[in-house]
Amino acid sequence: DCRIALLGVPDDLGVSLNKVRPGAAEGPIAFRAALARFGVAYDAQRRMPIDVPIFDAGDVTPAPGYNTDSLKQTHGRVTEAARTLHDAGLIVVCIGGGHDLTFPTVRALSQSFDTKLGGINVDPHLDVRETPGSGMPYRSLIEDGFLDPRRFVELGTGRFVNSPEHCEYARGQGVTIVPGDDIATGAYSPQRAFGHAFSPSHDGKPSLGFVSIDLDCLDASVAPGVSAPCPMGLSLPVVAQIAAQAGRCREVRHFDLMELSPPHDDDGRTARVAAMLFLHFVSGFSERG
C-alpha cells in the first residue's frame, strides 16, 4: 500500500569532478538518522497525522572507480532503480548525493511515462555545465530529450555564481530563470513556478514532472552542511513552502533533496533541515487524497 519510495543515492564523485568539497556521499545515512529522531508523525498545523505509507528502498551502490566512466555507470544503476520504482506506480523521493544524480532519476521518470517532463530546480546554480560532474544534470536532461526546457524553472538562482555562457544557454533553450533576489523581494512568488512548469505539455501527454531542491539554495547560516554553501540564500520558510507545494501538486512524480554533506555540517543542523523539508513534502502529499 506504499505510495512514496525513498531512495538514497550516496555518491559524490560528480562533486569531486567539479572540484567542490566532497562529503555528500554520506547524505542519505545522515538524513535517515535525522528523520528517525525528528519528532512525531503528526502535523500540528493541519491537526492531522502524517499517515502516508512510505517504502524505504535503500541506497543505490555506486559503481567502483573515480572517473567519468564510473560516474556514467552509477547513473545507469540509479536510473534502473528509480525506473523500477516508477514502473511500480510509486512517487520517488531521492536523497543525495551530488546533484548530478538528479539526471538519472528524472531520466527514469521520463522513460517510465514516455514523455518529456516539466520541472523546478531550487538552486543558486543553473547546473547546465557541459562537462561531467555535479553541475551537469539539466543540460543533459534537455539535450537527451527528457526535459522540456520551456516548462523548466530555475528558481532562486544566485547573482554571482553562474557564468554568462551558462545563462545564455539556459535562456536560449527557453528556460525560465528566477533570481533569488526576486523571491526575497516578493517580485516573484514560487507558486508561479508550479503553474509554469506543470502546464499542459505541447504534445498533449500528461503534464508530469519533478521538483529538485539543492540544499545549497538555503542561506549558509541555516544549511552549512552542503557541497557549496550559499551566502544570502533563500529563507527556510520559503523553501519549506515549496516542498509542501511539491507534495500537493499531483503532477509532481519525483522529488529530491540533494547535496547534503554531513562532514561539513554543524551538529547535524542541515540533516535536520532536510528531514523537515521531507516532512513538509509528505504532509503536502497527504492532501492529494
Side-chain angles (χ1 to χ4, degrees), residues 218-240:
L218 289 159
D219 191 84
S221 63
V222 174
V226 295
S227 301
C230 179
M232 222 171 97
L234 299 178
S235 72
L236 183 53
V238 166
V239 179

Side-chain angles (χ1 to χ4, degrees), residues 161-183:
V161 296
N162 296 294
S163 72
E165 293 81 9
H166 292 163
C167 292
E168 182 179 352
Y169 171 83
R171 291 193 180 98
Q173 294 290 322
V175 174
T176 298
I177 300 175
V178 182
D181 287 348
D182 285 1
I183 297 174

Side-chain angles (χ1 to χ4, degrees), residues 256-280:
D256 65 40
L257 297 165
M258 308 304 285
E259 305 272 2
L260 174 59
S261 189
H264 307 288
D265 207 359
D266 178 13
D267 197 29
R269 288 163 54 201
T270 312
R272 190 166 174 84
V273 164
M276 190 196 68
L277 293 175
F278 173 74
L279 291 172
H280 273 77

Side-chain angles (χ1 to χ4, degrees), residues 80-100:
E80 182 179 0
R83 175 70 187 269
T84 301
L85 297 169
H86 281 301
D87 287 350
L90 293 162
I91 308 296
V92 177
V93 176
C94 284
I95 307 297
H99 209 174
D100 58 283

Side-chain angles (χ1 to χ4, degrees), residues 4-28:
I4 292 175
L6 184 65
L7 182 66
V9 281
D11 182 68
D12 58 10
L13 176 57
V15 174
S16 296
L17 289 174
N18 282 161
K19 304 188 185 307
V20 184
R21 60 184 190 177
E26 301 176 33

